[in-house]
Amino acid sequence: VYWWADGLYVKAGIEDRKAALLTIVAAQKNGDKILLGMESGERESKESWLKVLRDLKARGLKFPKATVADGALGIWAALGEIHPKGDEQRCWNHKIVNVLDDLPKKEQAKAAELLSAIPYCDTKKKCEKKRDEFVLRYRKTDNKAVQTLLRDWDRMVTFYSYPKEHWIHLRTTNIVESPFSLVRLRTDASRRYKKVEGARAMIWKLMGVAEKNWRKLNAPELLADVHAGKKFEDGLAVIELELGEKAIAA
């Protein structure tokens, strides 16, 4: 139904740079989360992500309704080529960090408070109002930060078209990031792997062990509706009426 894509960087090989392990975690119709794929790639490039996606497609995977990922252009370019009809949601945690990086330190605390409130509005309209308040406050003094917030905006609010109970899972890539935090403890201790394949094999095993303790998505009974293509607005189901009219379920 959903999947989350991210890259984990580890020191491997003889070159003085980190290798990217492109990882996808998916949610099934029953709410279970599974580790779907992990491949080494070149800095999360389009071609690297295409390799991952093509392999999954060749193995018979039906691609999900929505993808959640960070702002790396490679994943979005790859999805645009191989899965153009899927919905796309950018990670709010990554977006907030990117905006704060464009602000002076003295403004970051207040800005973080304002930014954090934006994706937690209960309607898309209220979310856009909060966005506009931030823009009005900073557009004259810190326009670069404003442009960073506005960039790719449509991908920031996709979650409003899905059940409200699932928003906590769709706003960020935490589903991938959280188990990665445990993996990093082990990879950091290893300093550097002789081969990327060795790093990938060990991390795959660690993620597989962690997978057994992953909690289900909230309201798994709604996942079947999402999978079937049922429409939602501001997190509520849309009921189709006669003559093309519609109503929002309470």
Side-chain angles (χ1 to χ4, degrees):
V1 182
Y2 309 127
W3 67 13
W4 296 259
D6 206 349
L8 172 65
Y9 289 89
V10 297
K11 293 181 179 180
I14 60 175
E15 298 183 19
D16 188 24
R17 60 189 177 90
K18 294 183 178 180
L21 297 180
L22 310 182
T23 305
I24 296 180
V25 172
Q28 298 177 302
K29 284 195 294 183
N30 64 359
D32 285 343
K33 291 178 289 189
I34 59 170
L35 179 58
L36 198 60
M38 178 182 288
E39 293 290 344
S40 55
E42 181 62 30
R43 304 296 295 182
E44 300 192 66
S45 67
K46 175 186 175 182
E47 288 305 317
S48 295
W49 277 113
L50 275 174
K51 179 182 177 182
V52 175
L53 298 177
R54 285 168 177 159
D55 177 62
L56 292 171
K57 187 174 183 180
R59 290 192 274 136
L61 180 73
K62 182 179 179 181
F63 284 4
K65 293 294 181 181
T67 299
V68 185
D70 64 13
L73 296 178
I75 180 64
W76 302 121
L79 285 167
E81 180 173 323
I82 202 169
H83 185 41
K85 294 183 179 180
D87 288 340
E88 300 173 349
Q89 170 67 47
R90 275 194 58 178
C91 173
W92 267 98
N93 284 352
H94 285 85
K95 170 65 79 170
I96 290 172
V97 169
N98 292 339
V99 175
L100 293 178
D101 283 345
D102 290 331
L103 288 166
K105 287 186 177 181
K106 65 179 182 179
E107 287 291 338
Q108 288 182 1
K110 179 60 179 177
E113 181 181 339
L114 297 174
L115 290 167
S116 297
I118 296 174
Y120 287 91
C121 295
D122 58 6
T123 69
K124 186 176 178 181
K125 186 175 182 179
K126 291 179 181 178
C127 174
E128 291 171 345
K129 183 179 179 180
K130 287 286 187 182
R131 173 203 65 188
D132 293 343
E133 290 174 359
F134 182 91
V135 171
L136 184 62
R137 180 184 177 97
Y138 289 105
R139 64 182 177 185
K140 291 185 178 180
T141 57
D142 299 283
N143 189 55
K144 185 178 179 181
V146 168
Q147 293 308 312
T148 299
L149 174 62
L150 297 178
R151 189 180 306 122
D152 218 10
W153 178 258
D154 287 345
R155 287 196 182 112
M156 302 308 305
V157 292
T158 301
F159 68 90
Y160 283 107
S161 298
Y162 287 89
K164 184 170 291 187
E165 293 84 348
H166 297 166
W167 290 359
I168 189 173
H169 307 297
L170 298 176
R171 290 188 187 100
T172 72
T173 55
N174 281 355
I175 282 178
V176 182
E177 289 285 342
S178 294
F180 268 9
S181 63
L182 295 176
V183 170
R184 286 191 179 96
L185 292 176
R186 182 66 182 87
T187 56
D188 289 348
S190 299
R191 300 290 181 177
R192 178 180 293 277
Y193 295 90
K194 292 182 179 180
K195 296 182 178 180
V196 174
E197 291 77 9
R200 182 176 62 195
M202 192 210 72
I203 293 172
W204 175 268
K205 183 64 176 178
L206 288 173
M207 292 285 281
V209 171
E211 180 185 55
K212 298 176 182 179
N213 295 315
W214 290 347
R215 62 184 290 268
K216 286 178 176 285
L217 266 64
N218 295 342
E221 68 278 4
L222 294 174
L223 290 165
D225 290 338
V226 175
H227 188 265
K230 192 169 186 176
K231 302 298 182 183
F232 293 81
E233 288 186 12
D234 288 333
L236 301 177
V238 175
I239 302 173
E240 296 293 339
L241 304 177
E242 294 182 0
L243 303 177
E245 296 178 347
K246 64 183 179 181
I248 307 299

